[in-house]
Amino acid sequence: MEPAGKNNGNSPQRYDAIIIGAGISGMFQLYRLRELGMSVKVFETGTNIGGTWYWNRYPGARFDSESYSYHYSFSEEVLDEWDWSEHFAAQPEILRYLNFVADKFDLRSDIQFRTRVKSANYDEQNNHWEVCTDQGETFRSHLLISATGPLSAAQMPSIPGIDDFQGASFHTSQWPHEPVDFTNKRVGIIGTGATGVQVIQTIASQVGSLTVFQRDPNYCAPLHNRKIDKAEMKEIRAKYPEYFARCDETFGSFLHGSDPRMSLEVSEEERLAFFEELYAMPGFAIWLGNFADTFTDQKANDLLTEFMKQKIRERINDPVVAEKLIPTDHGFGLRRVPMETNYYEAYNQDNVDLIDVNEVTITRITQTGISTSEGDHEFDIIIYATGFNAVVGALERIEITGVGGQSLKEKWADGPRTYLGVQTNGFPNFFTIVGPHNAATFCNIPRCIEQNVEWLTGAIKYMRDNRCERMEASVDAEDAWTKHVFDAAQETLFPTVDSWFMNVNRNLPEKKKTFLLYTGGGPYYREKCEAVAANGYEGFALE
Ligand SMILES: Cc1cc2nc3c(=O)[nH]c(=O)nc-3n(C[C@H](O)[C@H](O)[C@H](O)COP(=O)(O)OP(=O)(O)OC[C@H]3O[C@@H](n4cnc5c(N)ncnc54)[C@H](O)[C@@H]3O)c2cc1C
């Protein structure tokens, strides 16, 4: 390990470990490495902690995980002291919670804010990482841990003239810290993914007019959020152990796990009754609590998709608008399902218009609004709800070079290759939390973050106890895991659909199609990681 001394004259400051990102992953990894007595530095682009919940301040931003299934489980004190006010908390409350955790453990003292890591180069001779920031500083560390987030690299659309607009415009994940007044404003919004849905349903009643530019409709499902009063919070708190145990056993580490029955083995009456029951339940029940074959058998998926189409038609007054809101290129749940509260009803309001950009092309952003093939639309505010360069985007924005000067971008040009989604050969002592091919990518994410961090902390402790200086995934282990990731995906219908799961982003046409997530399920992933550790970190070269 590096000496814990922080500065040697003019030479770069040295740490045992550098962590990139101060979201849920970076905060918890910092906490655990401090417990090992290591010197740790965290770099964070934002001005404070929170990651996703620091950046995404747009109106309507909230959980689609139950609040009490999402929060950290590692500290009894935090569990005892924090109360949630809603089953699916909104962004301000989530950010307050994360600040409460950061205050409690004095995490900020090891985090350097307003600092973006630009590059990280592995120095083979000295077995350390050299990390350069946009502040012109250089740091060295023995270990480098990326906690850069699966949905943190904001992606703007490639429309000409974006800088010409004279009104206010925002990407949803770079929302201002001050409230935006929508009263009587003419608002245009581009994008109808999970974020767009939350914004649209929230501001439709506040704006003068809202014009929604939609390219890819999504199947959305009702969230059924509710307040939590003191008495209910007491009952929920008593069930924390049960909830965490439940998350450990379900495929996606949510409270909702699939029903053991197959869609086609029950009668139509029974099937529809079950769909209705799930549709009336909160959260991801309809997505992740459905029949076991919903995402592996096309016929099964078609049945649920038909049910969801009918629900949309029932909720929209104008049948032409309803058909525009129904996806035609994928079945229900084959993309991440946006959760909604009166989203579809927003389109029944006179002040809300829907423009399908497959029929009407956006030609450019102008000084006063958006020009289309069918005319100009004037706006006071334009909102870009165009999402992220998902899973790999934040890593791609850092110049990372490993053994022999090979860059991570070059190595992953045809898609990531990883072992367990935590390492890639040629980049010793570099680890990814919620990396591609990690179960955390298809997960109630903090449950998997905690698993990732605990496992990695165990590996680091093992290195220290066994006097190992270098840990690197072997090529064989990486090949086998990457093949397993693709094989697991092929057993599902997910690769049949273009989505960020498949590294498809129509604003980044150069991206290669490849499956980025891990769909073998949380329980198998955890078992595999535990077995690897029990066998002396099998598949990793430790020197
Ligand atoms: C709007 C929204 C809602 C979501 N809701 C849910 C939900 O209900 N349930 C769920 O399971 N998941 C949800 N997610 C996914 C969410 O990203 C994860 O739950 C979780 O917050 C990820 O935490 P993280 O710490 O890994 O990454 P993040 O929270 O994304 O934090 C990464 C941090 O790294 C920083 N960073 C990145 N690159 C650099 C660099 N080069 N230098 C310095 N800093 C850098 C970023 O600024 C960011 O602050 C949601 C995501 C979004 C966008």
Side-chain angles (χ1 to χ4, degrees):
M1 298 276 167
E2 297 280 335
K6 298 221 165 170
N7 202 339
N8 300 323
N10 290 330
S11 63
Q13 292 177 38
R14 302 168 75 93
Y15 296 92
D16 292 329
I18 284 180
I19 299 171
I20 315 173
I24 293 175
S25 299
M27 288 166 63
F28 184 40
Q29 186 66 77
L30 166 63
Y31 175 86
R32 279 286 185 248
L33 293 187
R34 269 185 184 174
E35 282 185 328
L36 293 186
M38 297 176 77
S39 61
V40 188
K41 187 78 170 176
V42 183
F43 294 107
E44 168 55 55
T45 311
T47 61
N48 210 331
I49 57 93
T52 290
W53 306 107
Y54 165 87
W55 293 104
N56 290 271
R57 294 162 190 257
Y58 60 82
R62 69 171 63 247
F63 280 149
D64 45 28
S65 300
E66 283 76 2
S67 310
Y68 38 85
S69 75
Y70 186 99
H71 58 187
Y72 287 120
S73 72
F74 73 90
S75 160
E76 285 299 330
E77 262 181 81
V78 171
L79 289 170
D80 285 347
E81 289 171 22
W82 185 265
D83 286 354
W84 291 103
S85 73
E86 290 182 280
H87 285 264
F88 301 88
Q91 177 272 335
E93 183 174 3
I94 305 165
L95 189 57
R96 275 199 306 279
Y97 163 73
L98 292 173
N99 274 294
F100 165 74
V101 175
D103 288 342
K104 186 164 205 55
F105 301 115
D106 180 32
L107 295 180
R108 287 188 203 81
S109 57
D110 287 319
I111 305 175
Q112 182 169 321
F113 294 106
R114 297 182 176 81
T115 306
R116 186 172 69 80
V117 170
K118 276 174 51 184
S119 66
N121 303 301
Y122 177 65
D123 175 338
E124 212 169 335
Q125 209 173 1
N126 295 302
N127 186 32
H128 65 219
W129 283 87
E130 194 149 290
V131 171
C132 299
T133 74
D134 63 350
Q135 302 301 306
E137 301 160 303
T138 302
F139 299 85
R140 282 186 187 144
S141 66
H142 180 220
L143 307 172
L144 178 65
I145 299 169
S146 123
T148 49
L151 299 172
S152 63
Q155 188 59 49
M156 287 289 284
S158 41
I159 306 170
I162 282 177
D163 292 335
D164 297 346
F165 184 59
Q166 301 288 303
S169 64
F170 317 103
H171 186 281
T172 43
S173 84
Q174 286 160 353
W175 201 262
H177 291 202
E178 308 72 41
V180 175
D181 182 8
F182 289 103
T183 321
N184 296 325
K185 295 286 190 317
R186 298 162 304 169
V187 181
I189 179 165
I190 299 178
T192 53
T195 287
V197 166
Q198 289 184 331
V199 177
I200 292 161
Q201 67 194 15
T202 307
I203 65 171
S205 56
Q206 303 166 22
V207 295
S209 68
L210 181 63
T211 307
V212 178
F213 294 87
Q214 171 191 268
R215 186 173 56 194
D216 300 310
N218 282 290
Y219 288 103
C220 310
L223 181 65
H224 299 299
N225 192 17
R226 273 192 307 115
K227 296 267 184 236
I228 300 175
D229 64 19
K230 275 212 156 52
E232 193 180 11
M233 189 61 229
K234 203 171 159 205
E235 286 166 26
I236 290 171
R237 177 168 284 114
K239 287 191 181 153
Y240 281 170
E242 195 184 307
Y243 290 155
F244 291 131
R246 173 73 181 146
C247 291
D248 273 355
E249 73 193 18
T250 61
F251 176 87
S253 308
F254 284 90
L255 291 172
H256 314 279
S258 68
D259 188 281
R261 293 170 298 166
M262 299 292 164
S263 316
L264 296 153
E265 91 194 3
V266 300
S267 69
E268 187 180 3
E269 200 184 356
E270 199 178 332
R271 191 167 51 237
L272 288 175
F274 186 50
F275 288 164
E276 287 290 357
E277 188 187 320
L278 293 173
Y279 195 78
M281 280 171 67
F284 279 146
I286 185 87
W287 188 31
L288 301 174
N290 225 304
F291 292 109
D293 52 357
T294 306
F295 305 114
T296 53
D297 180 332
Q298 190 62 57
K299 280 198 193 119
N301 188 261
D302 290 346
L303 292 167
L304 177 58
T305 301
E306 202 41 51
F307 173 86
M308 295 304 288
K309 283 184 180 174
Q310 215 35 51
K311 285 289 174 201
I312 299 173
R313 289 184 185 121
E314 282 166 18
R315 292 173 58 184
I316 306 277
N317 297 343
D318 181 340
V320 177
V321 173
E323 290 314 308
K324 281 187 188 168
L325 288 164
I326 294 175
T328 52
D329 63 349
H330 69 277
F332 175 77
L334 298 180
R335 292 201 188 139
R336 205 177 201 277
V337 177
M339 301 307 291
E340 52 86 23
T341 306
N342 297 326
Y343 171 64
Y344 289 113
E345 286 71 15
Y347 293 95
N348 295 334
Q349 290 180 209
D350 291 340
N351 66 337
V352 178
D353 278 328
L354 178 65
I355 295 184
D356 178 347
V357 303
N358 300 299
E359 291 167 6
V360 177
T361 320
I362 295 180
T363 48
R364 68 175 297 119
I365 309 290
T366 65
Q367 287 191 354
T368 54
I370 297 180
S371 278
T372 73
S373 51
E374 296 207 339
D376 294 340
H377 299 262
E378 300 217 328
F379 297 119
D380 303 304
I381 300 174
I382 297 178
I383 300 172
Y384 298 99
T386 45
F388 304 93
N389 180 355
V391 185
V392 286
L395 286 172
E396 283 173 4
R397 291 179 188 181
I398 307 171
E399 288 299 325
I400 301 173
T401 52
V403 173
Q406 184 189 27
S407 84
L408 189 65
K409 253 183 269 182
E410 265 164 37
K411 171 158 181 185
W412 286 2
D414 291 328
R417 302 193 64 76
T418 79
Y419 182 34
L420 301 177
V422 294
Q423 250 211 348
T424 188
N425 174 265
F427 296 79
N429 296 351
F430 170 55
F431 305 92
T432 52
I433 303 174
V434 201
H437 299 177
N438 189 303
T441 53
F442 200 116
C443 191
N444 179 19
I445 293 184
R447 299 280 59 77
C448 291
I449 287 175
E450 287 194 333
Q451 184 277 341
N452 279 197
V453 168
E454 300 292 15
W455 186 89
L456 181 52
T457 308
I460 291 168
K461 187 166 179 307
Y462 182 90
M463 284 174 82
R464 192 176 68 179
D465 294 349
N466 291 278
R467 299 183 188 288
C468 299
E469 290 291 326
R470 199 174 184 275
M471 180 166 180
E472 183 181 7
S474 74
V475 174
D476 286 351
E478 173 178 302
D479 286 349
W481 182 255
T482 304
K483 180 174 180 309
H484 168 65
V485 166
F486 295 153
D487 289 348
Q490 284 311 323
E491 284 174 21
T492 72
L493 299 170
F494 297 112
T496 63
V497 171
D498 282 354
S499 74
W500 60 264
F501 294 5
M502 282 298 287
N503 202 28
V504 173
N505 182 324
R506 291 218 250 155
N507 293 313
L508 294 164
E510 69 281 5
K511 277 170 91 75
K512 294 264 168 60
K513 252 194 205 187
T514 179
F515 202 69
L516 293 177
L517 314 192
Y518 178 62
T519 51
Y524 176 77
Y525 180 80
R526 259 193 314 277
E527 227 173 80
K528 171 79 183 166
C529 288
E530 280 161 23
V532 165
N535 290 330
Y537 295 89
E538 190 179 23
F540 293 93
L542 281 154
E543 291 165 11

